[in-house]
Amino acid sequence: MEAAHTEPTAVVARLTVHSPDEMRELGRNLAKLLRPGDLVMLTGELGAGKTTLTRGLGEGLGVRGAVTSPTFVIARVHPSLVDGPPLVHVDAYRLGGGLDEMEDLDLDVSLPESVVVVEWGEGKVEELTDDRLHVVIHRVVGHTDDDRREVTLTGLGARWAGVDLAALG
């Protein structure tokens, strides 16, 4: 008998962020929930705040080095300064080949002991693990507050079941 494929359980929270400082603070707060083996996918247009959020994650995780966009190096590893997991920050924007190109980065080797954050990872890294956090950042257009963002956090899989993502807001 063949087992039926089921979609992982999803936990969803929607938050409004009003400034880059608030985006960094969201990252610092989110870092408190993260642990080794977590995969975080970031989706949003250029300038939406993906790297700003990741900078906050790095601060919250207590990692070494300035967290900047890894666009040209594809991936950067930030070791922990506080005996926590390293942060692996990946920019998959220029990787068009999906998982094959991502496999060249050996993320599956890094994943168990690191927190892996992948910008532009949608459609490219889902097969690495059933348990992942997908963060989608939308710019709110036509609003007087140009820095306002709507952030949707979706925790997929058993790892995120029971995690109160709404408490981040």
Side-chain angles (χ1 to χ4, degrees), residues 11-141:
V11 175
V12 180
R14 289 178 179 81
L15 311 169
T16 300
V17 174
H18 298 278
S19 69
D21 285 342
E22 283 187 19
M23 187 67 77
R24 273 176 88 155
E25 183 65 22
L26 174 60
R28 283 190 292 271
N29 290 335
L30 179 56
K32 296 171 189 170
L33 298 178
L34 296 176
R35 60 186 189 212
D38 283 344
L39 173 66
V40 180
M41 290 176 14
L42 301 179
T43 301
E45 63 195 50
L46 285 169
K50 297 178 298 295
T51 301
T52 301
L53 178 74
T54 305
R55 195 168 290 126
L57 283 172
E59 291 168 6
L61 290 170
V63 299
R64 186 179 76 215
V67 175
T68 58
S69 179
T71 301
F72 298 104
V73 294
I74 310 297
R76 261 193 194 97
V77 177
H78 298 274
S80 176
L81 296 172
V82 295
D83 201 30
L87 172 65
V88 178
H89 185 197
V90 179
D91 186 329
Y93 184 75
R94 295 185 310 148
L95 300 179
L99 197 59
D100 289 341
E101 281 188 73
M102 294 302 288
E103 282 178 350
D104 291 342
L105 298 176
D106 284 334
L107 291 182
D108 52 340
V109 173
S110 305
L111 191 57
E113 68 272 356
S114 305
V115 170
V116 177
V117 176
V118 183
E119 296 186 28
W120 306 99
E122 191 171 13
K124 298 175 184 174
V125 298
E126 289 88 343
E127 292 178 34
L128 289 173
T129 178
D130 288 336
D131 297 308
R132 61 191 174 277
L133 180 64
H134 190 183
V135 180
V136 179
I137 304 170
H138 286 289
R139 272 191 171 137
V140 179
V141 291

